Amino acid sequence: MISLQSTVCETSANTPAQTNAADGVSATKEIRYEGEGTRTNPYIVDWDRNDPENPYNWSKARRWLITVQLAVSTWTVSFGSSAYSGGLKSTERVFHVSEEVAVLGISLYVLGFGLGPLVFAPLGEMYGRRHIFIVTMSVYTLFHLGGALGQNIATLLSTRFLAGVFGSSPLTNAGGAIADIWNPRERGVATSLYATAPWLGPVIGPIVGGFVSQNPRLGWRFSFWIMMIVSGVSLVFGTLVTPETYAPVLLRRRARALQKKSCGTIYYVSKYEINHSASLLAKLQINFSRPFLFLFTEPIVTLLSIYVCIAYSILYAFFAAYPIVFQQDRHFTPGTGGLAFLGVGVGNIIGTCLTPIQNRLYWRAMDRSPSGRAPPEARLYLMMGIAALLPISLFWFAWTSEPPVPWIVPVIAGAPFGCATAQIMLGVTAYLMDSYHIYFASAIAATVVLRSIGAFAFPLFCPTMYRNLGDQWACSIFAFLGLACTPLPYFFYKYGPWIRSKSAYAYKDDVLSQQDSAISRSNTLAEKDEKTKEEA
């Protein structure tokens, strides 16, 4: 057994021990690793049982603090997407542009959401979540200066696009970090906080932006200063609170620390890097292409990405539709027009508060499972029950949006919409997290790409739709799209296990099936023995 607690190189050993705390590994306990420590057969570094450096074993208080920070960072960038919308009329007036050009400030921002994850999700899986977060959020914070100080529309729109690109990092890597620190049984509520933030942020944004833009002492540019302040606070919070959480990176660091401690005479490799001898360029190609690979070859990712895309795009279409319905038709001010989004916000909160019900259903599925691990499809129970609220709420809003129907009626219609979108996002996120685990960041990146493309396009053609079709039929088209997606949770609940069995990346139920078969065979033999005794 090697003792690596001293500062000198030690090579006379058969089995490694952990390095000291300065090397990032506990010095109080020795761990036996598989292998021989040679170049051709290195020690395979893995977590020990109850390893204090395994993120799953961190204290609950620490994990909850990290979870709150991850949710805050995700909320921050989603808030920035819509706070701009409160000053649309001011943007048109100051820069002498049309409504469609002004709306590009929203569309280009969310288009950046779709492009950034193609780079930041794979980089997070290669080099860790923390470094990517600090770098991207630092750049993201600075790009708000383009809106606060820019003197032409080109500066405003280009910096909005780049802010969206760099702000997209938390949308994928934060979800990966949630999966890093919470095991499947515990992660339900934590996932709900992370998954709800991209929906709740855009709801708060128009309210803040609307009241700021109509205040003559502040003006529409002050919204960008608010976004910058919020982003800076989120950056400092994340830097201070959240360490690296990605297990492959942590184990790689441990392996390197152990090998360095032996002066390179004993060889170690992380269990995630066994037989991974590809060059850096090859690794980049593999990791950068994985979100596209998932999007086009994994039916689970493809269909659920379409579902999320439609729900998310409709939300962003509302940033163009609500001013038409409430400010243009009902003569609300920008501030009170933003308050109309409170219906959606309340629905989001209600949807999030329903998470404990889903958790109990999931725990029951775990208790019924012979392996103790519930299938990923157990994450879909509540989503199946609430999915129908999406088209119902949209038809409701469509046919009550025009006077003389009281304004409160379409506002209330936002509540079931918000509840449905919250549970759709929660269900999809949790299902992908359980199905793809260490590849979750790439899987969720695929959904972010598609939903961002949709959110880019919908606000652009929404004003034209409302002008040509009228408020009622324009929103009804969105309702029919939501109706077409309603069966998807039921489809995956029934056929998800079979689809996952054909995937090269998804979690398989083989062990569970083998145990079920063994129990079935045992029961059959017992029945035969009982029958034989009765015949005798």
Side-chain angles (χ1 to χ4, degrees), residues 72-261:
V72 167
S73 66
T74 306
W75 180 89
T76 298
V77 297
S78 61
F79 167 82
S81 69
S82 63
Y84 166 90
S85 67
L88 281 176
K89 295 300 180 183
S90 298
T91 304
E92 295 173 31
R93 185 177 62 255
V94 170
F95 293 119
H96 308 291
V97 296
S98 66
E99 181 181 7
E100 285 77 9
V101 173
V103 169
L104 277 172
I106 300 173
S107 295
L108 289 173
Y109 187 99
V110 294
L111 180 63
F113 277 0
L115 299 179
L118 298 177
V119 177
F120 302 133
L123 286 179
E125 292 178 351
M126 292 177 65
Y127 300 111
R129 326 277 193 197
R130 176 177 167 83
H131 294 319
I132 300 301
F133 169 81
I134 292 175
V135 172
T136 56
M137 284 298 288
S138 298
V139 178
Y140 167 76
T141 301
L142 294 176
F143 270 124
H144 292 306
L145 290 172
L149 303 174
Q151 297 302 308
N152 55 67
I153 192 66
T155 300
L156 174 65
L157 296 181
S158 60
T159 52
R160 284 288 291 174
F161 170 71
L162 293 172
V165 170
F166 284 91
S168 66
S169 173
L171 297 178
T172 53
N173 288 342
I178 294 290
D180 294 340
I181 63 178
W182 297 101
N183 63 48
R185 185 179 184 90
E186 298 175 313
R187 71 172 59 129
V189 176
T191 302
S192 71
L193 292 177
Y194 155 74
T196 305
W199 303 88
L200 195 56
V203 171
I204 303 299
I207 300 173
V208 175
F211 280 109
V212 167
S213 66
Q214 73 179 40
N215 188 320
R217 290 183 298 177
L218 299 177
W220 65 279
R221 288 186 185 273
F222 193 73
S223 297
F224 290 93
W225 291 111
I226 293 176
M227 292 181 230
M228 187 172 183
I229 293 169
V230 172
S231 303
V233 171
S234 179
L235 172 62
V236 173
F237 187 25
T239 303
L240 296 177
V241 167
T242 304
E244 182 54 58
T245 62
Y246 193 43
V249 172
L250 295 175
L251 289 177
R252 184 196 311 149
R253 291 178 182 174
R254 174 177 286 187
R256 290 176 178 174
L258 287 164
Q259 188 159 319
K260 181 180 179 181
K261 198 68 176 180

